């Protein structure tokens, strides 16, 4: 019984019975060749039988443990996350690496809530041989080393990583603060002596002395900084500096800022308030190097200084032609870190990029793209293409961090640069295992945002992700799910991939209250590939969560609409929360209003609608609308009887139109006679009566011959096109009310949902349908529709051809015998 439980809790132990026969073979064949990191616990390997215990007696030189850390070591919640991961439900992990024995960790009390720890579930050996102890120690050491390496890879310093470009040129030393500059440590005795002098002199020190005190105190050991900043005597020194602020030279004032950085002075400290005001006053008396250095110091202090930056940008605008290359790059970096895009500098930034593009280092190219991306700076296609041209030629020499920054800007500019994307497919898959999770996310998101599918890139991401999944923020997990769903890609390890991300979404559930958009992003990505985690969906459709979405900076009603309706169609057994009907109505109206203005009027749709009406017999045979409004794209609906004849169904609006147009007649003597006697002396217009007939009345009656051009196009076809049915009105019943117009009376047939597709429905330069449109066609089929596509690569060229050619094509599409045979 214990073995069964273990297999359910730990999917990778489903092959536990084969350990005794395969472990030695795997070890001798070199399990270290596997590049994927798997988890291994040396203590659990020796807990079942003698044959299992022999695994630990193998030569450790031929046996490599592949270990994966579960969270950042520096995070206070690391152990809790790791425990939660191992106590969660097993979600169908069926992938097994051929080069490694896979055993999953168990951790303490959290695991015991779901299942007793493995070491308690299985009998313990009586004693542990000395060799086993030695090997276990070596395995633990190997784990610790690999864990440390992985943590180093995953750690992302949002303050320091963007500054890597500053190490490429010596000129940046005068433009930026270097936290790694070696300094001689000050002894505690000297520091105490300085503070004693501050207390004795009581603010009578000269500006030079005050600056010197700051320089020296900032050299105290790092562990003393927090205590120093809260020290009353240090605060007295700060007050003295504020009092003398106008007397400091600019270089002394900069040195005080640098000292504050080393001491980690809080960004709201009164001393910094005074410094900012003074620097704003002095801007026009400082040189550009000093201005950029001070701006860099504010960044290191994490202090927002919009007033200072505005003055800096004005200064730069006036001295634009004097900017050297390092000054320009540093300025763009400052623009990005300030999250501001000065409108008057946009054109000048582009001109400088073109001027220096061939002289930039690759790290500087990445820094410029990151600055533009962070500040949401628009950039022309011409300049972005020039940047992409250079990167595509030198991608192998570029650091992954710089490359990811270029991809961010490429995504923001919506630039479909095929040479760069193809080169990405050659260079990046081999790097994926060494890239941190946020970098992988941005690579994946770039591909999906540009609708570019490269199976090599996506497969590498999918294989690497499960071992890194606990590093995912809620945003990362959501973007991965969205990207794979958007590209409609289910990787070879799909069960492990999706189950690990869904599990991480559960662990990050507390974050979605603050970032509701991430939960909906992830759930829509899952819906695209027909995965519906009911617990998460129930949470997302609750009234409390819907209320939280209203406070988001994003419009999330459409996403809720798409998710809610998809669940209704594809999950009939779902018993969880549902969206209120008024929300459905509100968003439906919003979507349909947009469609009337932007979608139904597109030339390719208007032309298809008009030709289908002409071919089938009139507007009552075709309806251009959204069958599924939550999928946000239009359809041309056509109904066919089982004998292949079109069935009129779009009658209601047509009758209203005809009554408004044709019934408004003058009261003549002849008409009065007809009304009084109830009999017509002359026939009413045929089409008015025709509109009033039900589909049942229409069936089997003669069709009017098509126009000459249409007849030429459709000669030899199965049916006569442009078949507007013509009937003779019954005498004496010209004005009688038509019978109810319901589809219940129409004969059994086929409902066609004709899709007029365009390039945005497919992956870039391919015929691979995107996830949203896969979802739409799947749901149309579930609702009984037969999907017929007019693919853009066939229909768009035909728009320039003759009417006969277009009619012939549509006839072939609509009256395909396979449609009727499939329906029957």
């Amino acid at each position: 019984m214990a073995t069964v439980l273990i297999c359910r809790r730990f999917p990778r132990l489903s092959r536990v019975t084969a350990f005794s026969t395969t472990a030695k073979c795997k070890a001798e064949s070199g399990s270290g060749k596997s590049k994927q990191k798997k988890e291994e616990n040396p203590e659990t390997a020796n807990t079942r039988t003698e044959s299992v215990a022999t695994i630990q007696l193998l030569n450790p030189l031929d046996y490599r443990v592949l270990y994966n850390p579960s969270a950042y070591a520096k995070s206070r919640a690391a152990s809790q996350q790791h425990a939660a991961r191992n106590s969660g439900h097993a979600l169908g992990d069926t992938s097994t690496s051929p080069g490694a024995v896979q055993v999953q960790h168990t951790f303490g009390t959290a695991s015991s809530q779901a299942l007793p720890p493995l070491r308690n579930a299985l009998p313990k050996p009586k004693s542990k041989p000395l060799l086993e102890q030695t090997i276990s120690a070596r395995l633990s050491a190997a784990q610790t080393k690999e864990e440390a390496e992985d943590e180093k890879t995953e750690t992302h310093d949002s303050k320091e990583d963007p500054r890597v470009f500053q190490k490429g040129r010596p000129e940046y030393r005068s433009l930026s603060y270097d936290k790694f500059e070696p300094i001689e440590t000050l002894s505690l005795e000297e520091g105490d002596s300085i503070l004693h002098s501050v207390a004795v002199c009581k603010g009578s020190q000269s500006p030079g002395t005050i600056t010197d005190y700051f320089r020296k105190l900032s050299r105290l050991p790092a562990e003393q900084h927090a205590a120093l900043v809260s020290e009353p005597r240090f605060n007295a020194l700060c007050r003295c500096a504020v009092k003398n602020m106008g007397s400091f030279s600019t270089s002394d004032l900069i040195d005080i800022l640098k000292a504050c950085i080393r001491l980690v002075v809080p960004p709201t400290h009164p001393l910094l308030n005074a410094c900012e005001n003074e620097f704003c006053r002095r801007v026009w008396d400082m040189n550009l190097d000093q201005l950029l250095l001070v701006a860099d110091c504010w960044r290191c202090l994490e202090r927002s200084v919009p007033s200072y930056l505005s003055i800096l940008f004005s200064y730069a605008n006036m001295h634009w032609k004097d900017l050297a290359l390092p000054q320009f790059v540093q300025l763009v970096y400052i623009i990005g870190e300030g999250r501001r895009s000065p409108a008057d500098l946009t054109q000048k930034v582009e001109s400088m990029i073109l001027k220096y593009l061939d002289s930039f280092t690759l790290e500087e190219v990445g820094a410029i793209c990151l600055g533009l991306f962070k500040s949401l700076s628009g950039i022309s296609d011409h300049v972005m293409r020039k940047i992409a041209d250079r990167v595509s030629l030198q991608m192998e020499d570029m650091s992954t961090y710089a490359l990811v920054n270029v991809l961010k800007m490429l995504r923001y500019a919506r630039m479909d640069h095929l040479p760069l994307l193809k080169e990405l497919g050659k260079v990046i898959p081999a790097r994926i295992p060494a890239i941190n999770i946020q970098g992988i996310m941005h690579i994946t998101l770039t591909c999906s945002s540009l609708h570019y599918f490269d199976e090599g890139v996506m497969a590498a991401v999918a294989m690497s992700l499960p071992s890194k999944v606990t590093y995912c923020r809620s945003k990362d997990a959501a973007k991965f799910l969205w990207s794979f769903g958007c590209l409609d890609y289910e990787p070879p390890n799909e069960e492990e991939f999706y189950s690990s991300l869904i599990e991480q979404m559960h662990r990050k559930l507390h974050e979605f209250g603050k970032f509701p958009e991430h939960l909906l992003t992830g759930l829509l990505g899952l819906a695209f590939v027909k995965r519906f985690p009911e617990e998460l969906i129930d949470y997302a459709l609750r009234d409390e969560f819907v209320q939280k979405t209203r406070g988001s900076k994003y419009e999330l009603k459409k996403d809720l609409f798409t998710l809610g309706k998809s669940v209704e169609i594809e999950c009939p057994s779902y018993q969880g929360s549902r969206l209120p009907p008024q929300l459905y109505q509100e968003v439906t109206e919003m979507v349909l209003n947009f469609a009337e203005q932007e979608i139904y009027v597109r030339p390719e749709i208007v032309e298809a609608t008009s030709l289908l009406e002409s071919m089938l017999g009139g507007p009552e045979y075709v309806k251009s609308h959204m069958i599924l409004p939550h999928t946000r794209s239009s359809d041309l609906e056509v109904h066919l009887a089982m004998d292949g004849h079109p069935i009129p169904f779009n009658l209601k609006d047509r009758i209203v139109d005809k009554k408004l147009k044709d019934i408004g007649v003058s009261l003549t003597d002849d008409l009065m006679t007809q009304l009084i006697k109830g009999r017509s002396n002359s026939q009413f217009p045929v089409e008015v009566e025709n509109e009033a007939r039900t589909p049942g009345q229409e069936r089997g009656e003669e069709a009017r011959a098509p126009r000459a051009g249409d007849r030429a196009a459709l000669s030899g076809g199965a049916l006569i096109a442009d078949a507007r049915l013509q009937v003779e009105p019954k005498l004496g019943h010209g004005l009688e009310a038509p019978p109810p117009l319901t589809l219940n009376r129409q004969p059994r047939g086929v409902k066609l949902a004709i899709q007029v597709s365009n390039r945005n429905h497919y992956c870039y330069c391919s015929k691979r349908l995107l996830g949203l449109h896969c979802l739409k066609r799947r749901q149309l089929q579930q609702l009984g529709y037969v999907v017929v596509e007019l693919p853009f690569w066939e229909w768009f060229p035909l728009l320039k051809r003759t009417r006969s050619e277009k009619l012939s094509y549509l006839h072939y599409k609509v009256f395909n015998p396979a449609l009727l045979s499939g329906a029957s």
Side-chain angles (χ1 to χ4, degrees):
M1 184 61 185
T3 304
V4 174
L5 286 173
I6 291 166
C7 289
R8 289 181 62 192
R9 172 64 185 87
F10 301 103
R12 293 178 178 171
L13 293 184
S14 58
R15 302 186 182 185
V16 67
T17 56
F19 274 17
S20 60
T21 58
T22 62
K24 184 174 181 179
C25 178
K26 287 184 179 181
E28 290 176 350
S29 64
S31 63
K33 295 180 181 179
S34 173
K35 292 185 179 181
Q36 292 184 12
K37 292 179 170 61
K38 302 295 180 182
E39 296 183 357
E40 174 70 3
N41 187 342
E43 293 183 3
T44 61
N46 185 26
T47 56
R48 182 62 178 165
T49 63
E50 289 297 323
S51 60
V52 176
T54 57
I55 293 176
Q56 291 190 334
L57 296 177
L58 296 173
N59 184 350
L61 297 177
D62 295 328
Y63 186 86
R64 181 185 176 195
V65 175
L66 298 177
Y67 174 77
N68 167 56
S70 295
Y72 291 107
K74 295 180 181 180
S75 172
R76 181 174 296 181
S79 60
Q80 296 174 0
Q81 289 182 356
H82 206 160
R85 181 163 70 92
N86 291 283
S87 65
H89 298 291
L91 296 171
D93 183 358
T94 59
S95 175
T96 306
S97 174
V101 178
Q102 299 172 340
V103 183
Q104 195 163 354
H105 272 287
T106 58
F107 281 79
T109 57
S111 295
S112 66
Q113 295 174 3
L115 184 75
L118 185 58
R119 59 179 177 271
N120 294 333
L122 302 177
K124 295 182 180 180
K126 293 183 179 180
S127 61
K128 196 169 189 178
L130 179 61
L131 180 57
E132 287 187 36
Q133 295 178 12
T134 304
I135 294 173
S136 295
R138 291 183 181 180
L139 294 178
S140 297
Q143 288 176 344
T144 302
K145 182 178 180 181
E146 293 204 16
E147 180 179 14
E149 290 175 354
D150 276 1
E151 286 168 357
K152 183 178 179 181
T153 299
E154 288 301 326
T155 301
H156 169 64
D157 189 336
S158 60
K159 286 178 61 178
E160 285 303 317
D161 289 350
R163 303 166 66 83
V164 174
F165 73 94
Q166 294 171 348
K167 300 177 181 179
R169 298 180 191 269
E171 293 91 334
Y172 288 112
R173 293 173 188 169
S174 63
L175 307 175
S176 61
Y177 173 79
D178 184 4
K179 66 178 291 186
F180 301 106
E181 181 183 0
I183 56 173
E184 184 179 353
T185 304
L186 187 75
S187 67
L188 298 181
E189 292 77 10
E190 291 179 272
D192 189 66
S193 175
I194 292 173
L195 293 174
H196 178 72
S197 299
V198 170
V200 171
C201 295
K202 296 182 180 180
S204 61
Q205 298 94 340
S206 67
T209 302
I210 294 172
T211 304
D212 189 54
Y213 283 171
F214 272 102
R215 291 194 196 101
K216 290 180 177 179
L217 289 174
S218 68
R219 290 161 38 203
L220 283 168
E223 59 271 16
Q224 301 295 324
H225 291 173
L228 175 65
V229 172
S230 60
E231 163 72 47
R233 291 175 293 179
F234 178 77
N235 288 326
L237 179 62
C238 292
R239 288 193 297 271
C240 185
V242 172
K243 182 180 178 181
N244 291 274
M245 189 60 62
S247 303
F248 291 110
S249 68
T250 299
S251 59
D252 283 346
L253 207 53
I254 292 174
D255 283 346
I256 291 176
L257 267 192
K258 290 182 177 180
C260 289
I261 296 172
R262 284 192 287 269
L263 293 172
V264 196
V265 172
T268 56
H269 196 282
L271 173 61
L272 299 183
N273 295 339
C275 287
E276 180 185 354
N277 292 334
E278 184 62 23
F279 277 119
C280 287
R281 189 183 66 82
R282 295 190 187 195
V283 163
W284 301 103
D285 298 323
M286 297 165 61
N287 61 50
L288 187 56
D289 281 11
Q290 290 176 323
L291 292 172
L292 292 171
L293 174 58
V294 170
D296 198 64
C297 288
W298 291 130
R299 168 58 185 151
C300 294
L301 285 162
E302 297 185 346
R303 181 181 171 90
S304 177
V305 287
S307 297
Y308 179 83
L309 292 182
S310 292
I311 302 172
L312 167 62
F313 298 151
S314 297
Y315 184 101
N317 193 34
M318 292 183 63
H319 297 82
W320 195 257
K321 294 182 180 179
D322 300 329
L323 285 177
L325 185 152
Q327 292 173 328
F328 169 71
V329 178
Q330 182 68 15
L331 177 65
V332 175
Y333 163 75
I334 294 299
I335 290 174
E337 296 307 305
R339 303 302 197 274
R340 292 190 55 198
S341 177
D344 55 343
L345 293 183
T346 301
Q347 292 297 325
K348 294 178 179 179
V349 167
E350 289 197 1
S351 67
M352 293 295 281
I353 290 174
L354 294 176
K355 176 181 178 180
Y356 290 126
L357 183 57
D358 293 334
S359 302
F360 291 139
T361 65
L362 293 173
E363 290 300 320
E364 288 171 332
V365 172
I368 289 170
C369 286
L370 182 60
L372 296 173
F373 177 78
K374 283 185 173 182
S375 61
L376 302 179
S377 299
I379 187 172
S380 68
D381 287 352
H382 174 67
V383 174
M384 190 66 238
R385 194 167 295 280
K386 287 290 186 181
I387 294 174
D389 286 342
R390 181 176 176 196
V391 170
S392 63
L393 295 175
Q394 297 180 280
M395 191 178 293
E396 288 188 359
D397 301 325
M398 199 169 197
S399 74
T400 302
Y401 183 80
L403 175 58
V404 167
N405 291 337
V406 174
L407 294 179
K408 289 178 182 178
M409 196 57 202
L410 198 73
R411 181 176 86 227
Y412 180 73
R414 305 293 297 175
M415 173 65 68
D416 51 350
H417 193 280
L418 195 57
L420 185 148
L421 294 171
K422 286 185 175 180
E423 190 66 17
L424 186 74
K426 298 176 184 177
V427 171
I428 212 64
R431 296 191 189 183
I432 291 292
I435 303 175
N436 66 26
I437 203 72
Q438 292 182 36
I440 298 175
M441 181 272 287
H442 281 294
I443 292 168
T444 312
L445 185 59
T446 297
C447 290
S448 66
S449 296
L450 298 179
H451 296 172
Y452 181 74
F453 177 73
D454 186 299
E455 188 168 10
V457 173
M458 301 302 287
V461 170
M463 298 306 293
S464 179
L465 192 64
S467 65
K468 298 170 175 274
V469 75
T470 51
Y471 295 115
C472 284
R473 304 164 298 173
S474 59
K475 176 181 178 179
D476 300 323
K479 296 298 187 183
F480 280 122
L481 290 172
W482 168 266
S483 297
F484 276 72
C486 176
L487 297 175
D488 190 40
Y489 179 60
E490 298 201 34
N493 64 332
E494 60 181 285
E495 290 305 323
E496 181 185 26
F497 173 80
Y498 280 111
S499 63
S500 65
L501 281 170
I502 292 171
E503 198 174 345
Q504 184 68 0
M505 294 281 280
H506 276 280
R507 284 196 290 268
K508 295 294 183 180
L509 201 61
H510 62 282
E511 295 183 10
F512 295 128
K514 186 176 181 181
F515 305 106
E517 62 273 12
H518 297 332
L519 178 59
L520 294 178
T521 295
L523 290 177
L524 286 177
L526 286 167
F528 293 163
V529 290
K530 206 175 181 180
R531 293 176 184 268
F532 297 91
E534 292 197 4
E535 291 182 8
L536 293 175
I537 291 171
D538 175 64
Y539 179 83
L541 299 184
R542 290 178 191 170
D543 290 341
E544 302 91 328
F545 184 81
V546 173
Q547 290 301 319
K548 291 176 181 176
T549 64
R550 300 183 189 279
S552 172
K553 62 181 180 180
Y554 302 100
E555 172 53 69
L556 301 179
K557 289 180 183 178
K558 292 180 182 178
D559 290 345
L560 284 168
F561 183 47
T562 302
L563 179 64
K565 284 296 184 182
S566 295
V567 170
E568 285 185 11
I569 295 171
E570 302 204 53
C571 304
S573 62
Y574 172 74
Q575 299 295 322
S577 303
R578 304 238 181 216
L579 294 175
Q582 58 268 27
L583 189 145
Y584 281 144
Q585 183 178 357
E586 177 186 349
V587 183
T588 299
E589 291 177 359
M590 182 193 312
V591 171
L592 294 181
N593 288 337
F594 172 80
E596 289 177 357
Q597 299 174 19
E598 300 291 339
I599 298 179
Y600 301 153
V601 297
R602 291 174 182 169
E604 66 272 18
I605 294 177
V606 171
E607 181 77 353
T609 304
S610 174
L611 289 168
L612 283 171
E613 289 175 355
S614 175
M615 184 178 80
L616 298 176
E620 61 267 33
Y621 293 90
V622 183
K623 187 174 184 179
S624 178
H625 68 132
M626 288 184 172
I627 299 175
L628 301 177
H630 65 277
T631 61
R632 311 174 199 178
S633 56
S634 69
D635 315 271
L636 300 178
E637 185 172 357
V638 171
H639 293 187
L640 299 179
M642 292 308 297
D643 60 2
H645 281 78
I647 301 171
F649 68 98
N650 187 25
L651 304 176
K652 185 175 181 181
D653 295 337
R654 290 290 300 167
I655 290 173
V656 172
D657 291 343
K658 288 297 181 182
K659 284 182 178 178
L660 290 174
K661 294 177 182 177
D662 299 331
I663 301 303
V665 295
S666 300
L667 271 176
T668 62
D669 292 339
D670 185 49
L671 181 57
M672 290 299 295
T673 301
Q674 296 174 30
L675 293 172
I676 294 170
K677 293 183 178 181
R679 185 178 297 274
S680 174
N681 292 333
S682 61
Q683 292 184 351
F684 274 82
V686 171
E687 292 193 19
V688 177
E689 174 71 13
N690 196 33
E691 292 296 336
R693 292 181 175 269
T694 64
Q697 290 173 306
E698 299 261 13
R699 191 173 66 242
E701 305 204 35
E702 292 183 1
R704 187 177 62 186
R707 292 184 301 182
D710 299 353
R711 190 186 307 113
L714 303 178
S715 59
L719 297 173
I720 298 177
D722 199 21
R724 179 179 297 277
L725 301 182
Q726 181 172 302
V727 296
E728 294 294 330
K730 296 181 180 180
L731 294 179
H733 293 81
L735 295 177
E736 68 179 354
L741 301 175
T742 63
L743 294 181
N744 294 333
R745 300 180 59 182
Q746 76 176 42
R748 180 172 175 267
V750 179
K751 294 187 295 183
L752 304 184
I754 301 174
Q755 312 288 296
V756 184
S757 66
N758 60 59
R759 288 174 176 80
N760 289 334
H761 294 179
Y762 289 86
C763 291
Y764 181 63
C765 291
S766 80
K767 297 179 181 179
R768 183 186 187 89
L769 204 61
L770 292 172
L772 175 61
H773 301 283
C774 288
L775 172 142
K776 175 184 175 177
R777 297 187 185 191
R778 186 174 71 232
Q779 291 180 2
L780 285 170
Q781 290 168 352
Q782 286 184 262
L783 293 176
Y785 286 87
V786 174
V787 177
V788 176
E789 183 181 10
L790 309 183
F792 70 88
W793 57 88
E794 294 176 357
W795 181 238
F796 280 42
L798 272 174
L799 294 177
K800 300 178 181 180
R801 309 297 291 271
T802 65
R803 176 183 175 86
S804 296
E805 288 175 296
K806 287 180 278 193
L807 283 169
S808 180
Y809 173 80
L810 290 174
H811 185 272
Y812 164 76
K813 285 288 187 177
V814 172
F815 298 115
N816 187 342
L819 300 180
L820 295 175
S821 62
S824 60

